[in-house]
């Protein structure tokens, strides 16, 4: 078996007094397109931060691209769930994306190819027309697309996205899920999302995280899996055909 792109082995982590992850093991292989879903506070963002080396496990090991997460960070693209940007700061869309190129290396000199890579990344999220816009003059969904472009511009080997489609409208949301699928031919893609409909339509595997992690090699989401993860019934959309597979709260 070839070396995985990333691996967590028996990872436990508490933040303050809160046990956040317990005995979590997960292998991410090349060309994976994996969704992580689970309730608020289930530990999804924390798991991504472990892969970025922003948290260290109390127990267990994390390896990324054959290295420690911290050393591998320059080869990992990340779209955070919450971005703290000074939206008044007069920086343009294309410069935000260029920053993704610079983040990979020491020194801040722009090299040949950086602008082309930034432009290509903006094209992939259909934002090239707004390249010269100040970042503060974007809608929430446009900003989210720029952040995806910033992560793509660095041509990562592992792409981690934390609820990247939360403020996208349906058309753009769909095209972004399709873009991730395309990207998974070049890199491993891990998407945290609550969009069960999109997950069941697009991704290749699902991991359910609620302190403990349950990985499912196929994207088949059964009511049992969701119930075990969320602890309550959830509406499930599968393959574009809405159908109720679960009873309402309180129904027998
Ligand atoms: N820096 C911190 N210090 C203490 N507790 C924290 C810290 N960061 C996160 N937590 C706690 O860890 C748990 C998991 O948080 P995390 O952000 O990973 O959840 P999540 O699954 O991403 O949730 P959401 O769907 O709301 O984004 C929560 O109970 C949260 O309050
Ligand atoms: Mg989160």
């Amino acid at each position: 078996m070839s070396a995985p792109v990333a691996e967590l082995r028996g990872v436990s982590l508490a933040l303050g007094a809160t046990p956040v992850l317990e005995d979590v093991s997960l292998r991410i292989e090349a060309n994976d397109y994996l969704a992580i879903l689970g309730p608020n506070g289930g530990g999804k963002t924390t798991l991504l931060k472990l892969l970025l080396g922003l948290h260290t496990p109390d127990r267990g090991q994390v390896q990324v691209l054959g290295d420690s997460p911290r050393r591998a960070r320059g080869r990992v693209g990340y779209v955070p769930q919450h971005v703290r940007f000074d939206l008044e700061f007069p920086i343009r869309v294309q410069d935000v994306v260029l920053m993704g190129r610079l983040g990979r290396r020491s020194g801040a000199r722009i090299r040949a190819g950086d602008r082309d890579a930034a432009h290509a990344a903006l094209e992939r999220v259909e934002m090239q027309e707004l390249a010269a816009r100040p970042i503060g003059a974007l809608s929430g969904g446009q900003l989210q697309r720029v952040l995806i472009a910033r992560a793509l511009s660095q041509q990562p080997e592992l792409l981690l996205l934390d609820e990247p489609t939360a403020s996208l409208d349906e058309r753009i949301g769909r095209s972004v899920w399709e873009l991730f699928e395309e990207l998974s031919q070049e890199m491993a893609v891990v998407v945290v999302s609550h969009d069960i409909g999109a997950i069941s339509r697009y991704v290749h595997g699902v991991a359910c995280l609620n302190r403990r992690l349950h990985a499912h090699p196929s994207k088949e989401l059964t009511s049992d899996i969701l119930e075990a993860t969320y602890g309550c019934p959830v509406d499930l959309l599968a393959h574009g055909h809405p159908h109720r597979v679960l009873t309402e709260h309180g129904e027998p």
Side-chain angles (χ1 to χ4, degrees), residues 120-171:
L122 277 172
E123 270 185 341
R124 283 189 115 161
V125 295
E126 298 184 37
M127 283 292 293
Q128 70 279 10
E129 277 160 30
L130 300 183
R133 268 266 181 105
I135 196 78
L138 297 180
S139 73
Q142 289 167 341
L143 179 62
Q144 221 160 10
R145 282 146 70 191
V146 171
L147 297 175
I148 294 169
R150 181 177 66 171
L152 288 184
S153 76
Q154 61 182 101
Q155 290 156 334
E157 289 158 73
L158 170 63
L159 181 60
L160 306 174
L161 306 123
D162 202 345
E163 299 191 30
T165 56
S167 35
L168 302 184
D169 68 36
E170 206 195 309
R171 184 185 74 82

Side-chain angles (χ1 to χ4, degrees), residues 9 17-18 102 104 111 127 145 156 159 202 205 240:
R9 257 175 299 161
T18 318
L102 300 177
R104 257 197 99 131
R111 294 184 193 157
M127 283 292 293
R145 282 146 70 191
L159 181 60
Y202 296 110

Side-chain angles (χ1 to χ4, degrees), residues 85-86 88-96 99 133-136:
F85 251 127
D86 182 357
E88 298 303 313
F89 191 70
I91 182 169
R92 291 171 304 172
V93 162
Q94 63 202 38
D95 302 319
V96 171
M99 277 157 50
R133 268 266 181 105
I135 196 78

